[in-house]
Amino acid sequence: MSNVVWDDRDDDEAAMSNDRIHAFGDDVLADHDAVAIAELVRTREVGVAEVTAAAIARAERVGSLNAVVFDAYEAPRSTSDPGAPLYGVPTYIKDNTDVAGMPSNHGTDAYVARPAEKDGPYTEHFLATGVTVLGKTALPEYGFSASTEFQSREPVGNPWQPEYSVGASSGGAAVLVAAGVVPIAHANDGGGSIRIPAACAGLIGLKPTRGRHVDGPSARQMPINVVSEGVLTRSVRDTAAFVAAMEDRWRNPALPPIGLVTGPARRRLRVGLITESATGASACSQTKAAVEATAILLEQQGHIVEPVAVPFGRQFVDDFVLYWGLLATAAAHTGKLTDRAYNRHKLDGFTQGLRRRYLRTLHHTPGAIRRLTRAHRRYAGMFSHHELILSPVLLHTTPKLGYLSPTVPFDELLERLTGYAGFTPLSNIVGAPAISLPMAVSEEGLPIGVQLAAAHGDERTLLETAFAIEQTHPWPRIQES
């Protein structure tokens, strides 16, 4: 596929081919990852102001993708500690996480948020890594959908193919990293919201173990905390460096430490292979081929890969959908606590549909929560004979915008979503770590992600394996044909 290299035009156009949009160029950011930028700042080869200005200019060049919902370009947030490991690295925070002076609108039209009075607990730790926050990124309403699309606003486009979805709910973050605006961006994951956009945009997306980082206020109020905080990156070492930087700030004593992972381990791993979801649906041919190619690569590296059965069936999916509806109902009924002007009737069709469905079936809630809470036992059994589980991230390749729009009739949209995000929710329910790696490009020119999942607390094995894969299988690059 051909693409035109970014140039020094003074207008807001991005580098683009017939399909791709990106902002990579010959400025100070070049094609550097976050670790490289931090090193350039540390050695004073470039200044923080210079790096910040370059990222802002790049963001403006890809504005047509609608990734940024609030910019703080006049007054970015950063730490004053030049010794912080990622000092000077430009980034963004997802618009469901409070940053002092910036609104948190959660992707909804039901109210207009006022600027937050203080940083959220996670934001404090995030800023302590040294990053410079330039603004807030787009997410679908309350992060409930797997595509960053809206009832009455323009959708967020995929920089690889703007007419296609970039996934969700960290879709805006994925755009800015994939398009070269910043090397790393905040994301969080309540059902696949780090891993799905990573898969759609050709990025690395690690969903950490539950409790690995400090939780936001909403996560603490959930009957089952399904949300994990993290980042999207273009290199494994950036993800590893971020994990280590956050652990230096605060470590959960109930979890094994990770430390700074710098490369592959020499262990021979046993890897279970799954290509069917809990409903029995098989991944599409292109996705399945990417997973099988990854299995072959792992075998070539000396690991043992063998098929395993999914220990969950349709009941798990039904229970998760009910829980999904419970969260939508809670959002709809507590909105007034956020803003007195909150108008529940302005919620999009998908949130409203989840709420109506839940209210019809809420008597099933105790049983569903009981089964979901116990799911970790069967999940742990998957790792009695394996260190990793290899699977798709999604059941089929990235769809065009509109396919998962909240304007689609609810029952049809719910069927489409459960037939798409078939592999990610399990890790959220059981609280285990998983990572999406960009292993292939589809016939349509879009990345295909593959998921590796590990036992509770074992991010280290995921990162070591990702390093090994990256060394022998360079990730697809948006700026290359």
Side-chain angles (χ1 to χ4, degrees):
M1 183 182 299
S2 63
N3 75 288
V4 178
V5 177
W6 178 87
D7 61 25
D8 291 323
R9 290 170 291 181
D10 293 326
D11 57 25
D12 289 336
E13 287 185 283
M16 64 180 71
S17 68
N18 294 334
D19 305 300
R20 301 179 186 180
I21 296 177
H22 69 79
F24 286 102
D26 58 1
D27 57 15
V28 296
L29 294 175
D31 190 16
H32 298 312
D33 67 0
V35 172
I37 291 171
E39 178 64 13
L40 289 172
V41 171
R42 187 187 67 79
T43 58
R44 299 185 180 182
E45 293 183 51
V46 299
V48 174
E50 189 179 6
V51 170
T52 301
I56 292 170
R58 286 188 175 199
E60 291 171 345
R61 287 189 173 93
V62 300
S64 64
L65 294 172
N66 305 313
V68 178
V69 295
F70 178 85
D71 73 68
Y73 300 157
E74 296 299 319
R77 287 292 309 284
S78 61
T79 178
S80 58
D81 178 12
L86 297 177
Y87 182 70
V89 175
T91 191
Y92 290 78
I93 286 185
K94 189 173 172 180
D95 194 31
N96 60 1
T97 302
D98 282 350
V99 182
M102 304 183 196
S104 295
N105 231 97
H106 297 267
T108 184
D109 292 329
Y111 74 108
V112 177
R114 294 182 291 272
E117 295 181 359
K118 61 181 182 179
D119 292 332
Y122 178 80
T123 301
E124 294 177 5
H125 290 204
F126 187 77
L127 286 168
T129 66
V131 294
T132 300
V133 175
L134 304 181
K136 306 291 284 291
T137 60
L139 71 155
E141 188 166 82
Y142 291 107
F144 291 142
S145 182
S147 185
T148 311
E149 301 182 54
F150 308 97
Q151 189 85 26
S152 57
R153 285 180 279 151
E154 289 296 310
V156 175
N158 192 318
W160 288 77
Q161 298 266 3
E163 70 272 25
Y164 281 78
S165 170
V166 73
S169 65
S170 307
V175 167
L176 297 175
V177 178
V181 175
V182 292
I184 187 171
H186 167 244
N188 45 37
D189 191 317
S193 298
I194 291 174
R195 292 158 290 159
I196 292 171
C200 294
L203 303 174
I204 292 89
L206 172 67
K207 175 222 166 291
T209 300
R210 178 161 48 220
R212 177 62 75 181
H213 303 311
V214 171
D215 291 325
S218 61
R220 298 171 187 173
Q221 298 167 4
M222 295 178 182
I224 302 172
N225 178 10
V226 294
V227 179
S228 290
E229 304 288 342
V231 290
L232 291 165
T233 71
R234 297 192 300 267
S235 72
V236 178
R237 76 168 182 169
D238 273 3
T239 297
F242 175 80
V243 168
M246 291 292 281
E247 190 172 71
D248 283 344
R249 169 74 180 185
W250 177 83
R251 186 176 77 78
N252 186 338
L255 294 175
I258 301 171
L260 177 59
V261 182
T262 58
R266 297 186 180 276
R267 291 186 296 158
R268 188 186 191 197
L269 302 175
R270 298 162 298 176
V271 181
L273 172 63
I274 293 174
T275 57
E276 290 187 354
S277 74
T279 63
S282 296
C284 76
S285 59
Q286 293 188 65
T287 301
K288 188 175 181 180
V291 175
E292 291 174 343
T294 306
I296 292 171
L297 188 153
L298 290 170
E299 288 177 331
Q300 290 171 343
Q301 293 179 348
H303 307 303
I304 299 170
V305 182
E306 56 191 6
V308 295
V310 183
F312 298 92
R314 182 74 213 190
Q315 183 67 65
F316 174 84
V317 178
D318 292 342
D319 288 342
F320 182 83
V321 171
L322 184 141
Y323 190 70
W324 205 355
L326 185 155
L327 298 180
T329 303
H333 286 270
T334 60
K336 289 290 184 181
L337 300 177
T338 305
D339 193 297
R340 290 183 180 179
Y342 188 92
N343 186 345
R344 193 176 73 201
H345 301 291
K346 289 187 177 181
L347 293 170
D348 72 26
F350 185 58
T351 303
Q352 295 276 25
L354 282 173
R355 173 180 168 271
R356 288 192 297 268
R357 188 182 191 278
Y358 175 72
L359 292 176
R360 292 195 304 268
T361 59
L362 62 83
H363 57 285
H364 294 302
T365 302
I369 290 181
R370 183 173 60 253
R371 287 186 293 271
L372 292 174
T373 301
R374 294 174 178 174
H376 70 92
R377 299 173 185 173
R378 274 187 285 171
Y379 182 85
M382 297 173 70
F383 295 92
S384 59
H385 299 292
H386 299 90
E387 285 77 37
L388 296 175
I389 299 295
L390 169 66
S391 75
V393 176
L394 297 158
L395 274 161
H396 61 77
T397 56
T398 306
K400 283 191 173 183
L401 290 168
Y403 180 78
L404 298 176
S405 167
T407 60
V408 173
F410 174 74
D411 289 341
E412 183 177 358
L413 179 54
L414 182 61
E415 184 177 355
R416 290 180 179 183
L417 285 166
T418 55
Y420 180 53
F423 295 92
T424 53
L426 178 58
S427 297
N428 299 90
I429 291 296
V430 302
I435 193 169
S436 174
L437 301 175
M439 296 303 298
V441 175
S442 72
E443 295 169 359
E444 295 78 24
L446 292 148
I448 299 175
V450 167
Q451 178 173 266
L452 288 169
H456 191 266
D458 195 14
E459 287 93 331
R460 171 167 279 273
T461 298
L462 291 174
L463 290 169
E464 290 170 345
T465 307
F467 265 117
I469 293 173
E470 186 180 46
Q471 287 182 0
T472 58
H473 182 86
W475 315 128
R477 293 157 53 91
I478 196 171
Q479 66 269 47
E480 293 181 352
S481 58

